[in-house]
Amino acid sequence: MNKKGPIGVFDSGYGGLTVLSEIVKQLPEYDYLYLGDNARAPYGTRSFDVVYEYTLEAVKELFSRGCELVVIACNTSSAKALRTIQQNDLPKIDDNKRVLGVIRPSTEVIGGLTKTGHIGILATEGTVKSESYVIELKKFSPTTVVVQHACPMWVPLIENNEHLSVAGKLFIQEDLQLLLKKDPKIDVIVLACTHYPILKEYIETIVPSTIEIISQGKIVAEKLSDYLKRHNQLEKSCSKNGEIHFLTTENSLDFDRKATLFFGKKVRSEHIKL
Ligand code: DGL
């Protein structure tokens, strides 16, 4: 009762910072605790069991640091771990705490954006294989055709700041061509990995202007705002001093150097072990 804490935001690494920056823009009054599991990223190629185990550890860590609500701002973790954590783990840990993901809020919205009824999903191998986008979109937009394509090179390219090198651009062009070859009717492409918004501007220059490129940050932030309005008790448990604290499982100086690209502002993080 009356416990107050920051809103936890978790990602395998830097990508969730693109989501956090949109959340902070829309909901600046809250406190946030970001955790990037950079030491064990990327998650995209890891098995279901491993992603689940790592994500649960991260969620427990955020809970132990006072978070009552955690947003899993990682599509791979949302796809492979969220449901099990919500259904099996949360009741044992604390029934009052909540964990939300990024796939459900995105699929509630994106079906309404296409005119042709054909949507392309670009994501990690893990997210694509889980079929989570296909399954969730069926619920909200049953007639929409969903075509997925995994881009395993994009996260390493972005993490190493090689995405706009000549070789990096070739990889990105090739993946987009492969997606559009699978379904030329696609008029909405969802960047369904939190790293990919870094590529949005470049992608817009190489796909036909009739195709809309969607980043999830804004959508997730709007849905979170909505969620907090509907869950009064939980909203009251979120502290409001406008502070943001960053945790990383890797070297904190490395994190601070790279994080600016994703968060858009300078960041000072603290190293932790999970
Ligand atoms: N942040 C992850 C996602 O949104 C991708 C990065 C990774 O593979 O760890 O799926």
Side-chain angles (χ1 to χ4, degrees):
M1 286 273 283
N2 292 333
K3 265 191 291 173
K4 276 187 196 288
I7 297 174
V9 178
F10 168 69
D11 187 67
S12 60
Y14 298 104
L17 293 167
T18 62
V19 177
L20 178 63
S21 78
E22 290 296 339
I23 293 177
V24 173
K25 263 185 220 158
Q26 288 194 37
L27 301 164
E29 66 274 35
Y30 295 98
D31 296 333
Y32 297 94
L33 181 57
Y34 183 87
L35 170 55
D37 191 10
N38 300 77
R40 302 190 293 196
Y43 280 16
T45 44
R46 293 194 189 273
S47 68
F48 178 95
D49 287 344
V50 171
V51 173
Y52 163 66
E53 183 195 321
Y54 287 180
T55 307
L56 181 60
E57 275 175 14
V59 167
K60 283 183 175 168
E61 180 69 29
L62 288 167
F63 283 163
S64 77
R65 290 170 181 263
C67 301
E68 294 292 299
L69 169 65
V70 171
V71 177
I72 296 183
C74 174
N75 286 274
T76 311
S77 290
S78 297
K80 292 184 159 192
L82 177 67
R83 174 94 24 117
T84 315
I85 291 175
Q86 285 173 331
Q87 292 178 353
N88 296 355
D89 299 297
L90 263 188
K92 287 181 227 152
I93 300 170
D94 184 341
D95 230 359
N96 295 315
K97 295 186 189 285
R98 288 290 174 268
V99 182
L100 306 174
V102 288
I103 297 180
R104 173 80 184 241
S106 302
T107 51
E108 280 175 11
V109 172
I110 54 181
L113 303 176
T114 169
K115 292 186 187 75
T116 60
H118 294 244
I119 287 186
I121 302 287
L122 295 174
T124 64
E125 274 176 299
T127 302
V128 166
K129 278 193 191 139
S130 76
E131 299 260 310
S132 297
Y133 273 89
V134 180
I135 296 162
E136 287 296 317
L137 256 162
K138 274 261 161 315
K139 294 180 193 159
F140 303 108
S141 188
T143 57
T144 301
V145 177
V146 187
V147 179
Q148 305 189 93
H149 182 70
C151 310
M153 284 306 293
W154 288 20
V155 170
L157 280 172
I158 295 166
E159 293 263 330
N160 293 303
N161 213 6
E162 287 287 332
H163 50 287
L164 294 180
S165 67
V166 175
K169 283 181 173 175
L170 283 176
F171 274 113
I172 296 162
Q173 285 166 19
E174 195 189 357
D175 280 319
L176 286 163
Q177 277 163 11
L178 288 171
L179 174 73
L180 294 175
K181 215 163 135 191
K182 286 183 193 171
D183 185 349
K185 288 190 187 159
I186 287 170
D187 68 345
V188 169
I189 293 178
V190 182
L191 304 178
C193 168
T194 52
H195 278 68
Y196 300 175
I198 300 299
L199 305 175
K200 185 169 185 273
E201 269 182 38
Y202 175 61
I203 293 173
E204 280 167 346
T205 66
I206 56 173
V207 296
S209 58
T210 46
I211 298 178
E212 193 179 353
I213 309 297
I214 304 294
S215 296
Q216 299 168 292
K218 263 196 193 126
I219 298 173
V220 173
E222 271 158 26
K223 292 284 174 185
L224 178 62
S225 166
D226 207 46
Y227 182 88
L228 289 169
K229 280 181 197 137
R230 287 184 287 110
H231 295 81
N232 202 254
Q233 214 43 37
L234 193 65
E235 197 280 334
K236 280 194 194 132
S237 74
C238 300
S239 55
K240 298 181 193 76
N241 304 296
E243 288 172 6
I244 314 173
H245 194 71
F246 298 88
L247 305 171
T248 175
T249 55
E250 247 299 346
N251 179 286
S252 62
L253 292 177
D254 284 346
F255 182 89
D256 299 354
R257 222 179 356 256
K258 285 192 183 169
T260 313
L261 174 67
F262 298 86
F263 193 54
K265 279 185 205 159
K266 278 207 176 309
V267 155
R268 276 192 71 171
S269 63
E270 179 193 334
H271 167 78
I272 62 157
K273 282 204 169 95
L274 283 181

